Amino acid sequence: EVQLVDSGGGLVKPGGSLRLSCAASGFTFSSYAMNWVRQAPGKGLEWVSSISAGSHYIYYADSVKGRFSISRDNADNSLYLQMNSLRVEDTAIYYCARDAAAAAGHDYWGQGTLVTVSP
Amino acid sequence: DIQMTQSPSSLSASVGDRVTITCRASQGISNYLAWYQQKPGKVPKLLIYAASTLRSGVPSRFSGSGSGTDFTLTISSLQPEDVATYYCQKYDSALRTFGQGTKVEIK
């Protein structure tokens, strides 16, 4: 069974940093591109970042470019999101999500981890 | 950047009604479009990809159509368990923009 478990969220002050993790199991992690998607309280979904299976291709939404860094450890079946220079508007539930075959959407999602940025 | 615009932002319909949600891309994206369902307090779930391909296990009352810039998600007979917010997402490029969502409620 495919499982994605998100962790690392918490309360942080503006300007602070946080590192999110996503532990994957039940599939060959090294064969799939992965993503982070966030959802601010009461708002819609926002794609944040993606990383290819071998980490060769990395992309970011303009809203986080230069502040967030996505990475993965295929030996450990883990996905990460390093978040620096956090802003109040980064407050959201952060989900890791697997790319389906041919990148046709995100077919499995973690349960999400809440990041709150507040003075 | 390509923008994705959904309409309506919310709707209320009766059980058994046919419901249609529209998603419009600001530029052509061929059929690189997915639809998701997010029930209250739950994780989003992939329903449809390639604009019209139903993911395995998704009820057949859901269908998708369109290509280029205009897409639709149709629920042929609305059921109480379909109460949710529905999102479209483009995946024609590395920037995987979502629509703003359409909230579906039962009248």
Side-chain angles (χ1 to χ4, degrees), chain A residues 39 59 99 103 106-107 109, chain B residues 36 38 43 55 89 91 96:
Chain A
Q39 186 168 35
Y59 305 98
D99 260 3
H106 311 315
D107 58 354
W109 296 62
Chain B
Y36 299 86
Q38 186 178 31
V43 174
R55 187 183 180 193
Q89 182 197 33
Y91 57 90
R96 313 281 197 87

Side-chain angles (χ1 to χ4, degrees), chain A residues 35 37 39 43-47 50 59-60 62 95 99 103-111, chain B residues 1 34 36 38 42-46 48-50 55 87 89 91 94-100:
Chain A
N35 303 264
V37 176
Q39 186 168 35
K43 302 296 184 183
L45 301 173
E46 180 186 14
W47 171 81
S50 67
Y59 305 98
Y60 299 98
D62 287 345
Y95 299 99
D99 260 3
H106 311 315
D107 58 354
Y108 288 93
W109 296 62
Q111 85 287 1
Chain B
D1 294 350
Y36 299 86
Q38 186 178 31
K42 301 295 186 182
V43 174
K45 173 186 170 184
L46 177 65
I48 287 170
Y49 58 93
R55 187 183 180 193
Y87 297 91
Q89 182 197 33
Y91 57 90
L95 301 183
R96 313 281 197 87
T97 309
F98 287 93
Q100 80 278 18

Side-chain angles (χ1 to χ4, degrees), chain A:
Chain A
E1 178 195 3
V2 172
Q3 273 203 311
L4 298 170
V5 179
D6 302 318
S7 62
L11 176 63
V12 62
K13 294 189 186 303
S17 298
L18 213 54
R19 189 194 198 206
L20 306 184
S21 301
C22 171
S25 61
F27 66 102
T28 304
F29 181 72
S30 59
S31 296
Y32 289 84
M34 297 294 296
N35 303 264
W36 288 99
V37 176
R38 69 184 181 183
Q39 186 168 35
K43 302 296 184 183
L45 301 173
E46 180 186 14
W47 171 81
V48 172
S49 181
S50 67
I51 185 168
S52 61
S55 302
H56 298 296
Y57 302 101
I58 287 174
Y59 305 98
Y60 299 98
D62 287 345
S63 57
V64 306
K65 201 175 294 182
R67 301 186 299 122
F68 289 13
S69 176
I70 191 172
S71 62
R72 64 191 295 162
D73 184 341
N74 286 345
D76 200 31
N77 293 335
S78 294
L79 175 73
Y80 304 101
L81 185 68
Q82 177 67 43
M83 304 186 296
N84 299 328
S85 303
L86 281 161
R87 304 169 180 168
V88 170
E89 55 265 35
D90 295 319
T91 295
I93 296 173
Y94 285 74
Y95 299 99
C96 70
R98 190 183 85 166
D99 260 3
H106 311 315
D107 58 354
Y108 288 93
W109 296 62
Q111 85 287 1
T113 186
L114 177 62
V115 172
T116 303
V117 185
S118 179

Side-chain angles (χ1 to χ4, degrees), chain B residues 37-44 81-85:
Chain B
Q37 175 193 63
Q38 186 178 31
K39 295 183 178 182
K42 301 295 186 182
V43 174
E81 59 266 32
D82 300 334
V83 168
T85 300

Side-chain angles (χ1 to χ4, degrees), chain B residues 3-106:
Chain B
Q3 306 303 314
M4 306 300 293
T5 303
Q6 287 182 233
S7 60
S9 55
S10 65
L11 66 90
S12 181
S14 300
V15 172
D17 281 355
R18 183 182 184 86
V19 167
T20 298
I21 298 167
T22 296
C23 177
R24 176 163 290 174
S26 59
Q27 297 176 43
I29 59 169
S30 185
N31 69 334
Y32 295 109
L33 188 94
W35 288 98
Y36 299 86
Q37 175 193 63
Q38 186 178 31
K39 295 183 178 182
K42 301 295 186 182
V43 174
K45 173 186 170 184
L46 177 65
L47 296 178
I48 287 170
Y49 58 93
S52 61
T53 303
L54 206 63
R55 187 183 180 193
S56 176
V58 174
S60 58
R61 63 181 178 275
F62 290 93
S63 64
S65 66
S67 183
T69 60
D70 295 314
F71 303 88
T72 58
L73 172 69
T74 299
I75 308 173
S76 61
S77 176
L78 186 68
Q79 300 302 304
E81 59 266 32
D82 300 334
V83 168
T85 300
Y86 294 84
Y87 297 91
C88 62
Q89 182 197 33
K90 72 172 194 72
Y91 57 90
D92 66 311
S93 73
L95 301 183
R96 313 281 197 87
T97 309
F98 287 93
Q100 80 278 18
T102 296
K103 188 174 185 179
V104 175
E105 297 175 319
I106 300 290

